[in-house]
Structure formats: structure tokens, C-alpha cells
């Protein structure tokens, strides 16, 4: 029997790559939410993760490096009824695409960003990236990286993201539940997924030793200060929803017929915007 949201194309990732777990979790989440493929758009960036659009049977767009988020924002604004997923890597999202990501969080655009964070530039054979730990020897840092890595959870919380979570690619069931919650959340949602790159930086054992579930630790995701504290943990790896708050989504405000901002009102007067949008419904 054909699996849900499976294009039938055989994945080309290395055996043991964390991308398999992310793909399985996303397929499961879409199926359990009862979504149809024509209701979902996946936008991918550049990196090993980017091939996900070949394997996930939904409408898809493979964007250029660092630009998956703005493409997804455009899709969401063109048709807010769509579920718009962004698959992006740590290099794609936290380096070249960082400003797009943080501003999408600030605006609360209703896209769901899944960051495949393996802490190296795997597609280009394992160079150091923005989340590479200090001291790691890579192709580009043969004597060990001297840079401090970003803390993406802290950055996203500080940017006003209304849903911030962390998953682990080996825990597919848990990650699937996070993806479902992110999709059901109104507005911007981001899941930083820790995943091993078995070829260039295998973090599987490191993550397994340190991971714990926030829901088992009594964490309240409505508590912003508690979320900040969890994001700062260095020795343990919290998994789950760090923070969730309900606010109006950008598209709700910007496309509201009651209160269109002047720029959009002018645009509507010049363009048959409603007819244009109807073509995507
Ligand atoms: Fe996965 Fe790393 Fe292989 Fe890329 S190089 S497919 S990230 S294991």
C-alpha cells in the first residue's frame, strides 16, 4: 500500500541520516491532521535537507540558498488557507537566511519552519556553520573552530516568535506531535530539529545522552521567561515546545477586509487582487 505523502522517489540521503526521521514525522503529521496534498505547500532551501521536496508528496518549491522563508511568506499571503511548510537547514536558516527567518518570526506570518539542524554544512562536505560547536574540527576548521555558535532558540524567542520548539530526528513520534502542534498554531511556528549527519558530524550519541522532554519536566510553554531559561541550558537538551502564545497572524491583519493598511488598499484598487487570489484557491 502506498504510504501517505510519499512520492515514491527513493531518498538519496546517507543511511542513518536524520533527514529520514524528519520526513517520516512530517508525513505522519500531515496524514493524522487529515490534510490533502493540494492543501499543503513545502518550500525547501539549499542543503541535504532540500531534497525533501522530491520525497514529500505535496506542492513544492525548491528555493535558492537562504530564501525559503520569503518564498513561503509569499505563498501564505497569496493563499492563507494553505498549510505552508518550510524545510531549511542550519546553514540555510541561521546564516544566509537569518534575517528572513527573524523577520518572519517578528511579523508572525503563518508559516511553519522546520530547521534540519545538524550543525555543519553537510551538502558541501562538512564545513563549520553557525551552530557548529567551538573546537570542532571540520573541513574548514582543521585545527578546531574558534567561533562561538549561535543559540537559535534564544534568537527566535527574542525575535518575537509565537511558537518555538525543539525536536530530535530520532524521536519520530515526538517530532510528529510537534509538527502537528506547529501546523495547528495560528501564526509563525519554528521547530529546531537536532539531527545527526552520520557522514560529517554524528551527534546521535551526544543528543541521546542529554535530551529530556519539557512536558515531563513541568515546563509551562506560556511562560516566556521559563522558555528563555530553557533555551540557555548548555549541558542538557530540552525537547518539546519551549514557548507558545496566541497573537494575530500577519496575514490576518494585512489581508483583513475591515482594516486593510493604506498600501494594500491602494494595491487592491490598482490590481484585481481578489481575482488573482481566487486563482490559488
Ligand atoms: Fe545526511 Fe550528512 Fe549524508 Fe547529508 S551528508 S545526507 S546530512 S548524513
Amino acid at each position: 500500500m502506498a504510504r501517505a505523502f510519499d512520492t515514491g522517489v527513493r531518498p538519496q540521503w546517507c543511511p542513518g541520516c536524520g533527514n529520514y526521521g524528519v520526513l517520516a514525522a512530517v508525513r505522519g503529521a500531515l496524514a493524522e491532521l487529515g490534510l490533502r496534498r493540494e492543501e499543503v505547500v513545502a518550500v525547501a532551501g539549499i542543503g541535504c535537507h532540500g531534497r525533501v521536496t522530491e520525497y514529500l508528496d505535496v506542492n513544492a518549491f525548491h528555493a535558492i540558498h537562504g530564501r525559503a522563508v520569503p518564498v513561503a511568506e509569499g505563498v501564505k499571503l497569496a493563499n492563507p488557507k494553505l498549510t505552508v511548510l518550510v524545510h531549511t537547514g542550519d546553514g540555510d536558516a541561521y546564516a544566509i537566511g537569518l534575517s528572513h527567518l527573524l523577520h518572519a518570526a517578528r511579523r508572525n506570518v503563518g508559516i511553519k519552519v522546520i530547521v534540519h539542524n545538524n550543525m555543519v554544512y553537510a551538502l558541501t562536505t562538512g564545513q563549520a556553520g553557525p551552530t557548529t560547536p567551538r573546537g570542532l574540527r571540520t573541513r574548514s576548521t582543521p585545527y578546531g573552530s574558534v567561533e562561538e555558535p549561535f543559540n537559535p532558540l534564544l534568537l527566535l524567542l527574542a525575535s518575537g516568535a509565537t511558537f518555538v520548539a525543539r525536536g530530535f530526528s530520532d524521536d519520530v513520534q515526538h517530532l510528529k506531535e510537534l509538527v502537528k502542534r506547529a501546523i495547528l498554531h495560528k501564526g509563525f511556528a519554528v521547530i529546531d530539529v537536532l539531527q545527526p549527519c552520520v557522514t560529517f558530524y554524528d551527534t546521535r550519541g551526544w543528543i541521546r545522552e542529554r535530551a529530556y522532554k519539557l512536558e515531563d519536566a513541568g515546563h509551562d510553554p506560556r511562560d516566556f521567561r521559563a522558555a528563555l531559561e530553557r533555551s540557555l541550558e548548555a549541558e542538557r537538551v530540552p525537547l518539546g515546545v519551549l514557548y507558545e502564545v496566541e497573537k494575530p497572524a500577519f496575514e490576518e491583519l494585512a489581508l483583513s477586509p475591515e482594516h486593510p493598511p493604506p498600501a494594500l488598499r491602494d494595491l487592491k484598487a490598482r490590481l484585481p487582487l481578489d481575482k488573482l487570489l481566487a486563482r490559488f484557491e
Side-chain angles (χ1 to χ4, degrees):
M1 195 176 82
R3 282 184 299 176
F5 298 100
D6 186 348
T7 58
V9 176
R10 192 169 164 219
Q12 297 296 304
W13 295 314
C14 308
C17 174
N19 286 326
Y20 290 99
V22 181
L23 176 61
V26 171
R27 280 178 177 156
L30 296 176
E32 289 186 15
L33 290 175
L35 289 162
R36 290 175 290 126
R37 58 204 281 269
E38 56 270 29
E39 296 172 322
V40 183
V41 178
V43 183
I46 299 298
C48 289
H49 74 274
R51 303 195 86 144
V52 75
T53 50
E54 292 174 48
Y55 315 138
L56 187 63
D57 192 17
V58 297
N59 299 287
F61 192 103
H62 200 159
I64 56 173
H65 200 17
R67 308 298 178 235
V69 165
V71 169
E73 288 178 288
V75 173
K76 188 68 182 175
L77 286 175
N79 186 350
K81 291 179 191 161
L82 292 170
T83 293
V84 182
L85 306 175
V86 175
H87 285 270
T88 177
D90 45 294
D92 198 63
Y94 300 147
I96 186 169
L98 182 66
S99 66
H100 292 301
L101 180 73
L102 300 187
H103 288 288
R106 176 180 66 79
R107 294 183 193 116
N108 201 28
V109 185
I111 59 175
K112 317 301 167 186
V113 182
I114 297 163
V115 185
H116 298 234
N117 183 1
N118 55 25
M119 305 183 203
V120 286
Y121 284 100
L123 184 68
T124 50
T125 68
Q127 294 82 2
T131 52
T132 303
R134 190 169 181 193
L136 189 74
R137 292 172 187 250
T138 72
R139 293 270 172 111
S140 59
T141 57
Y143 303 108
S145 173
V146 295
E147 299 176 19
E148 284 295 335
F150 265 149
N151 179 333
L153 299 177
L154 184 60
L155 263 178
L156 286 156
L157 288 167
S159 301
T162 56
F163 182 101
V164 179
R166 170 166 269 163
F168 176 30
S169 59
D170 276 16
D171 195 339
V172 175
Q173 288 302 319
H174 185 254
L175 182 55
K176 180 184 71 181
E177 295 305 319
L178 291 180
V179 175
K180 282 163 67 179
R181 274 183 74 173
I183 290 173
L184 294 174
H185 174 77
K186 186 171 72 169
F188 179 90
V190 59
I191 308 173
D192 179 78
V193 184
L194 295 178
Q195 62 174 78
C197 168
V198 291
T199 302
F200 296 110
Y201 187 32
D202 191 349
T203 51
R204 181 163 273 126
W206 186 92
I207 299 167
R208 282 180 178 238
E209 275 173 23
R210 290 162 179 77
Y212 73 95
K213 304 263 173 62
L214 284 167
E215 51 271 33
D216 297 339
H219 175 68
D220 179 0
R222 295 166 301 181
D223 186 337
F224 183 69
R225 287 176 187 273
L228 288 175
E229 280 175 22
R230 298 281 179 182
S231 77
L232 288 167
E233 287 192 76
E235 295 306 317
R236 299 198 305 161
V237 175
L239 302 178
V241 179
L242 276 88
Y243 185 60
E244 182 170 18
V245 65
E246 188 171 326
K247 289 185 180 174
F250 176 84
E251 59 275 15
E252 250 183 291
L253 299 173
L255 301 177
S256 161
E258 288 85 34
H259 303 288
L264 199 66
R265 204 160 45 223
D266 294 347
L267 189 68
K268 272 189 154 180
R270 287 203 306 274
L271 292 171
L273 195 59
D274 293 336
K275 285 185 189 161
L276 194 65
L277 290 175
R279 289 170 55 190
F280 294 93
E281 288 175 351

